[in-house]
């Protein structure tokens, strides 16, 4: 999970720097004729959209995989209720699932903030 969090942190760089990107993208009055602000903003919009889509896909994929593992462990737990190691593994995977689901909520907040700034 921590590797996934680190990957998401790196992928969120564009969102963290959105104000800086806008300041460097939109030309000042002296550079208006030299840079196509509309095209530059369109490119920034597209890169932001791509980043959001890929991060959401990664998070949802991880949630789906972890949900599958939790389901399998629950089924095994039903068969062997006295297995303490299995219970520990189930709890660990459930915790990881909850963390990933909360990461999806964080992603939503980050995306909303970036779109408001843009």
């Amino acid at each position: 999970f921590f590797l996934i969090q680190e990957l998401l942190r790196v992928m969120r760089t564009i969102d963290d720097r959105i104000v800086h990107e806008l300041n460097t993208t939109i030309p000042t009055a002296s550079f208006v004729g030299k840079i196509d602000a509309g095209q530059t903003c369109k490119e920034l919009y597209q890169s932001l959209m791509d980043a959001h889509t890929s991060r959401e896909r990664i998070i949802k994929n991880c949630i789906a995989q972890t949900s599958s593992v939790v389901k399998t462990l629950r089924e095994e737990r039903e068969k062997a209720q006295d297995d303490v190691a299995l219970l520990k593994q189930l709890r660990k995977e459930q915790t990881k699932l909850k963390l990933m689901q909360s990461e999806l909520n964080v992603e939503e907040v980050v995306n909303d903030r970036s779109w408001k700034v843009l």
Side-chain angles (χ1 to χ4, degrees):
F1 176 73
F2 295 110
L3 291 174
I4 294 168
Q5 271 190 322
E6 181 63 22
L7 175 65
L8 290 172
R9 186 187 65 76
V10 170
M11 291 177 76
R12 287 183 178 139
T13 303
I14 190 169
D15 292 280
D16 294 339
R17 299 173 131 185
I18 191 72
V19 172
H20 173 72
E21 290 288 330
L22 285 172
N23 286 340
T24 58
T25 300
I26 299 174
T28 59
S30 60
F31 289 101
V32 170
K34 298 175 184 171
I35 297 174
D36 183 7
Q39 181 62 29
T40 309
C41 283
K42 192 181 291 187
E43 290 170 3
L44 180 60
Y45 172 84
Q46 188 60 47
S47 65
L48 197 60
M49 188 69 142
D50 293 343
H52 291 179
T53 303
S54 64
R55 288 195 314 254
E56 186 176 341
R57 185 174 18 93
I58 288 170
I59 294 170
K60 286 184 177 181
N61 187 23
C62 290
I63 288 172
Q65 288 177 355
T66 307
S67 294
S68 175
V69 170
V70 167
K71 181 181 177 189
T72 303
L73 288 172
R74 279 186 181 154
E75 290 170 356
E76 291 178 21
R77 177 81 175 129
E78 291 294 320
K79 296 174 187 172
Q81 293 189 0
D82 296 335
D83 191 348
V84 176
L86 187 61
L87 178 62
K88 278 185 168 182
Q89 182 65 26
L90 176 62
R91 296 290 183 241
K92 181 180 170 185
E93 291 298 321
Q94 286 174 328
T95 301
K96 188 163 75 170
L97 180 61
K98 288 177 186 174
L99 289 172
M100 287 183 189
Q101 289 169 336
S102 70
E103 199 63 43
L104 195 58
N105 293 333
V106 169
E107 183 66 21
E108 184 178 326
V109 170
V110 169
N111 291 353
D112 286 346
R113 182 187 68 100
S114 295
W115 291 124
K116 284 179 184 177
V117 170
L118 188 63

